Amino acid sequence: MVILYTATIFLSAFLIFLVQLIIGKLLLPLAGGSPSVWNACMLFFQALMLAGYSYTHFSQSRLGVKKQTNLQIGLMLATLLLLPIRFTASTAIPEDPTFWLLINLFKSAGIPFFILATLSPMLQLWFAHTGHSRAANPFFLYAASNTGSFIALLAYPFLIEPFVDLADQTTLWAAGYAVLTVLIILCRKSVREEIVEQNPDLQTTPETIDKATISKWVTAAFIPSSLLMGSTLFITTDLAPVPLLWILPLMVFLITFVMAFSPKNLPFWLIEKLAVAAVFAFTVIFGLDFKHRLWLTMPLHLVVLFAICLYCHSYLARSKPSVRNLTAFYTWISVGGMLGGVFNT
């Protein structure tokens, strides 16, 4: 059962990241490939992630898990009718393409992306209702989710884009979505309506999440999101205008998420020291203005990004609530991520 859920959440994350790259390949050449346009795309997808996480949270609280599973299957089957994703530029592109870009992002991939965005917290919630021995702590599946995103990030520029044209990419993505739908149906069969006895977290009344905890969650998600966009813009604009370099900060961001929610993360005391050392090193070296030394400046930015993201993401992993508040936890994380995108964009 763990293998089934891990594979399903891995594939969902792989597809959700892959569709961002495919849509970027379809739209960015028309809107301009500048980092600011890419940041606008990231903001759009962060907003849809928040919408998906919020839907999971409220549908679970209003419908219950069993009815939620039935509704999710129906939504995924209905979305198959919208695939494969297609885009044609039917209107003139304005001088400032931001709003044009957002509208066409929604029209081309908004609904499929939204459905996929619901799955990471939803599958963890379903797993918590299976009666499995690890059901009391389904948060380990979040590491599988971020691993899927990381693999998609590496696979697209090196294995998919050079060998598969865009039309075939969208067709293959639709096939992957169909496989994911089958896996979701299989996962649904293991979900129980009643709270499982083996999971004590699900037998108690949900703990109240105080405002201070929520603020810390939002802040701990806001900082890495903001740093990711800021470092991407700086590296690809001020240091070296090479489009492929945007992959590096995103790789660092995803690696820290995988590490933070993995049981084999670094000790937290060491993570704290690394974050403090990175901030001091950055402050000193940046003050000396080494922009002309690319071999030094770029690794420095990536190391600082890694250290601070790992600290913030590890804090989130350490402060995760009981399973009862799983969906609220991910919703507030998504709020922080989107606010980081808004701040930079």
Side-chain angles (χ1 to χ4, degrees):
M1 187 182 298
V2 172
I3 295 176
L4 172 61
Y5 273 87
T6 301
T8 305
I9 204 166
F10 176 93
L11 179 58
S12 69
F14 184 90
L15 291 176
I16 203 171
F17 206 90
L18 190 62
V19 73
Q20 296 179 63
L21 299 173
I22 293 174
I23 291 298
K25 190 69 175 178
L26 286 169
L27 293 180
L28 288 184
L30 300 173
S34 69
S36 59
V37 172
W38 171 248
N39 279 354
C41 288
M42 291 186 68
L43 174 60
F44 170 81
F45 289 121
Q46 284 175 331
L48 274 188
M49 287 292 290
L50 173 58
Y53 283 19
S54 300
Y55 163 80
T56 297
H57 175 64
F58 289 109
S59 64
Q60 184 272 333
S61 60
R62 299 294 176 86
L63 300 177
V65 173
K66 202 68 176 181
K67 290 182 179 179
Q68 183 193 62
T69 62
N70 295 331
L71 178 58
Q72 188 69 17
I73 297 298
L75 291 173
M76 294 201 68
L77 291 173
T79 303
L80 284 170
L81 301 175
L82 303 176
L83 302 178
I85 294 169
R86 292 286 185 263
F87 172 76
T88 54
S90 57
T91 59
I93 302 173
E95 184 177 347
D96 182 355
T98 301
F99 288 105
W100 176 91
L101 182 63
L102 295 177
I103 291 170
N104 282 281
L105 281 168
F106 183 81
K107 288 168 61 178
S108 59
I111 293 177
F113 187 93
F114 169 78
I115 297 301
L116 289 176
T118 66
L119 290 178
S120 180
M122 189 177 292
L123 285 168
Q124 293 178 59
L125 183 67
W126 291 8
F127 183 76
H129 283 76
T130 60
H132 191 273
S133 59
R134 301 183 68 181
N137 183 27
F139 293 95
F140 73 92
L141 290 170
Y142 198 50
S145 175
N146 285 284
T147 302
S149 299
F150 181 75
I151 297 299
L153 176 63
L154 289 180
Y156 186 76
F158 301 112
L159 299 178
I160 298 176
E161 186 180 17
F163 307 107
V164 184
D165 62 43
L166 274 174
D168 290 338
Q169 288 177 31
T170 58
T171 301
L172 288 173
W173 190 90
Y177 184 93
V179 172
L180 177 64
T181 302
V182 174
L183 292 177
I184 292 293
I185 293 173
L186 294 176
C187 289
R188 177 198 176 279
K189 293 182 178 180
S190 65
V191 178
R192 305 182 186 183
E193 174 70 54
E194 298 298 327
I195 292 173
V196 184
E197 290 184 1
Q198 293 94 322
N199 192 340
D201 274 346
L202 293 178
Q203 297 180 15
T204 57
T205 303
E207 64 190 45
T208 301
I209 306 176
D210 57 85
K211 293 181 179 179
T213 298
I214 292 174
S215 298
K216 291 176 182 177
W217 287 347
V218 171
T219 303
F222 171 90
I223 292 172
S225 173
S226 178
L227 281 177
L228 169 63
M229 288 192 169
S231 60
T232 301
L233 185 65
F234 183 74
I235 287 174
T236 56
T237 303
D238 293 352
L239 294 185
V242 179
L244 199 60
L245 288 179
W246 63 265
I247 291 178
L248 297 177
L250 197 50
M251 286 177 59
V252 170
F253 181 86
L254 291 173
I255 287 172
T256 60
F257 249 133
V258 173
M259 291 179 61
F261 283 84
S262 168
K264 297 182 180 180
N265 192 14
L266 297 174
F268 193 67
W269 64 266
L270 178 58
I271 294 172
E272 286 182 314
K273 291 183 182 298
L274 288 175
V276 172
V279 171
F280 274 105
F282 177 81
T283 305
V284 172
I285 298 177
F286 188 77
L288 298 177
D289 191 15
F290 284 133
K291 284 185 183 181
H292 58 286
R293 297 184 181 179
L294 190 62
W295 61 271
L296 174 63
T297 310
M298 188 174 298
L300 173 65
H301 277 78
L302 295 177
V303 167
V304 171
L305 179 67
F306 172 83
I308 297 178
C309 285
L310 183 61
Y311 173 78
C312 292
H313 292 159
S314 297
Y315 170 80
L316 289 172
R318 285 166 57 89
S319 63
K320 60 184 181 291
S322 67
V323 177
R324 284 281 191 176
N325 289 309
L326 180 149
T327 54
F329 173 68
Y330 286 117
T331 299
W332 286 116
I333 288 178
S334 186
V335 169
M338 192 195 71
L339 289 176
V342 170
F343 176 77
N344 282 270
T345 302

